[in-house]
Amino acid sequence: MTILLRTARRPFAAVVDVSRDWLLPSRTMPRRLWPPALGLIYLAGICALGDLRPRNVLIGLLGVLDAYNLNTRRFLRVFWPFIATGALYDSMRYYLGAFTTGRIHVAGPYVLDRAWFGIGAHTLNEVFASHHWVIADLVAGFAYLIYVAEYLALTMLVFFAGHVARALSFARGFLIVNAMGFVTYLLYPAAPPWYVAAHGFGPAVADSAPSPAAASRFDALLGTHLFDDMYSRSVEVFGAIPSLHAAYPALAAILVFRTAELRRVRWPAAGYAAAMCFSAVYLQHHYVIDVLLGLGYAAIAAAVVLTWERRGAAAAA
């Protein structure tokens, strides 16, 4: 009986020990001022612009993790590219509109996509606008809801499995593919299919409101407002090229197939990437060409971070 009680207590004791390591502040760890100071400088800059929001506060306070304990410092060291991506994306609301006004491509992507991937005289988006199905609405809507969460969850699985170098590759890849995408938004702002369907090929209305497009059918089926709420916070409308919706799961799938600890989720990750490629077109958010470019950006980011990881491992050997 005593042995059984000890055995039963061991898992609980292990959970308590892990929780203590993460939840209690360190009393002996040397503190560094620059990570929390960097977060405060970020908050001060947003305040000076007069547009402080809760998400900015969250981003700014994450620097405190470096000063809390060794585990949270290690977590911040790996996941800082996600924080940087969030700050970079949010910053575009201050300059993207002014930088792209008068240069937005509306007809070009449509004509090119219809010529290369169209069916008859229509783009594939237009075909799906006329032919859609409840099960596809549900699958595509769900895929669109979790595309960031899926990537972040896989990164955390690798991190907590102890493969810190690969988790850092996931995180760096996320920042790289987003940075390439954001630069493309600035250099080649492009209208998505839903905008063309709603406004035609005339000069782009720079202050157009973001739209959930066909994803609104998902909300209508479930009686929710998930996509309306999500797109009301979007900082860009004319960022159809490339499709980062397709890039994230594609990049995740490439890295999953290179990670032994994730071998059980390799095919689910690949299936989700394929479902997202379909969903991006089906929901009227991207042309086929946008999706293909997103896949290309993902391949580039994967090549960069895997090369970076190999060089780091060679230098440490």
Side-chain angles (χ1 to χ4, degrees):
M1 187 66 170
T2 302
I3 294 175
L4 289 175
L5 288 173
R6 288 177 179 174
T7 303
R9 279 199 297 265
R10 284 173 186 167
F12 177 75
V15 171
V16 171
D17 288 341
V18 171
S19 299
R20 184 185 299 115
D21 291 341
W22 281 90
L23 297 179
L24 295 181
S26 173
R27 296 180 179 179
T28 59
M29 181 184 74
R31 263 63 179 189
R32 301 180 296 189
L33 290 178
W34 69 265
L38 190 62
L40 292 176
I41 292 171
Y42 167 77
L43 287 177
I46 298 296
C47 285
L49 292 170
D51 198 17
L52 185 65
R53 303 182 184 188
R55 62 176 177 265
N56 304 122
V57 176
L58 176 61
I59 291 172
L61 292 181
L62 286 172
V64 176
L65 293 175
D66 185 81
Y68 195 70
N69 62 41
L70 289 173
N71 281 317
T72 58
R73 174 176 289 179
R74 188 178 305 113
F75 183 88
L76 183 63
R77 187 180 301 132
V78 170
F79 284 84
W80 72 264
F82 289 99
I83 302 170
T85 299
L88 186 61
Y89 176 78
D90 187 69
S91 72
M92 288 196 296
R93 59 192 163 111
Y94 298 112
Y95 55 82
L96 184 62
F99 195 85
T100 59
T101 297
R103 300 190 302 106
I104 297 167
H105 300 268
V106 179
Y110 171 91
V111 172
L112 184 62
D113 198 76
R114 185 179 62 184
W116 286 6
F117 306 107
I119 297 177
H122 302 285
T123 65
L124 197 55
N125 306 96
E126 291 172 325
V127 173
F128 284 138
S130 301
H131 301 83
H132 49 84
W133 311 271
V134 170
I135 185 63
D137 291 339
L138 292 173
V139 170
F142 181 73
Y144 246 54
L145 282 177
I146 66 168
Y147 76 111
V148 176
E150 184 248 8
Y151 196 99
L152 187 58
L154 290 171
T155 310
M156 287 188 173
L157 281 174
V158 178
F159 176 78
F160 286 108
H163 200 331
V164 175
R166 181 54 52 83
L168 186 56
S169 291
F170 269 83
R172 286 170 172 168
F174 190 77
L175 176 58
I176 290 170
V177 80
N178 275 285
M180 291 192 299
F182 298 164
V183 170
T184 307
Y185 294 170
L186 291 169
L187 298 179
Y188 191 89
W194 65 260
Y195 178 90
V196 172
H199 302 284
F201 297 121
V205 181
D207 59 350
S208 295
S211 170
S216 60
R217 295 197 298 260
F218 178 91
D219 280 336
L221 287 169
L222 299 184
T224 61
H225 300 282
L226 296 172
F227 284 102
D228 282 335
D229 293 341
M230 180 188 304
Y231 280 92
S232 68
R233 296 190 295 271
S234 178
V235 303
E236 47 80 24
V237 170
F238 303 105
I241 295 178
S243 171
L244 292 180
H245 283 90
Y248 293 176
L251 176 58
I254 294 171
L255 294 177
V256 163
F257 271 85
R258 300 295 298 270
T259 307
E261 291 81 359
L262 296 178
R263 58 185 175 274
R264 293 182 179 178
V265 298
R266 285 175 177 172
W267 291 111
Y272 176 67
M276 178 57 82
C277 292
F278 164 78
S279 302
V281 178
Y282 179 80
L283 296 178
Q284 312 297 314
H285 283 271
H286 293 282
Y287 296 111
V288 176
I289 193 169
D290 307 346
V291 171
L292 294 177
L293 286 169
L295 299 180
Y297 279 38
I300 293 171
V304 170
V305 297
L306 290 173
T307 300
W308 195 345
E309 183 181 320
R310 285 194 297 269
R311 290 180 178 177

